[in-house]
Amino acid sequence: MGIQEHLWEFPCVHKLKIMGLSTHPMVDIVTEIVGKHAHDFDRDSISLRESGSGKYVSVTIAVHFTQKEQVEAVFLELHEREEIAMTL
């Protein structure tokens, strides 16, 4: 797994969208993971949206990345969590 570094310009702010079942504490999971790798992320940027059926929730968050290793670490850890269905 690795990002195509030539498509990124660091430092940058990138919005992540993470989706999972609404029965999981998605905001807590996302802030825990992102906070490990980007300590200065804007907690006020977090927004939630439920699916039409209410079964899923998406968490959108703006993250300030300074290097590709941060991006890779965040996406890898998000991918490893079973509660997370998809990350964009």
Side-chain angles (χ1 to χ4, degrees):
M1 180 177 185
I3 67 166
Q4 295 181 4
E5 191 171 359
H6 67 280
L7 299 175
W8 292 72
E9 188 174 320
F10 295 99
C12 66
V13 174
H14 184 73
K15 285 198 173 188
L16 300 176
K17 186 175 215 173
I18 300 98
M19 291 162 268
L21 293 172
S22 60
T23 56
H24 298 299
M26 294 302 295
V27 171
D28 294 340
I29 293 167
V30 170
T31 56
E32 172 194 332
I33 293 169
V34 172
K36 287 183 198 176
H37 304 286
H39 308 289
D40 61 347
F41 78 93
D42 183 5
R43 293 183 191 279
D44 292 334
S45 75
I46 298 171
S47 64
L48 295 174
R49 184 166 184 194
E50 283 192 3
S51 65
S53 67
K55 184 176 180 179
Y56 293 94
V57 65
S58 68
V59 178
T60 302
I61 184 171
V63 183
H64 179 255
F65 290 114
T66 58
Q67 57 188 351
K68 77 172 192 157
E69 289 81 12
Q70 278 181 300
V71 178
E72 291 171 339
V74 167
F75 274 95
L76 179 63
E77 196 165 340
L78 289 169
H79 178 74
E80 290 175 344
R81 292 294 292 258
E82 65 182 41
E83 300 96 338
I84 296 174
M86 184 182 302
T87 303
L88 303 172

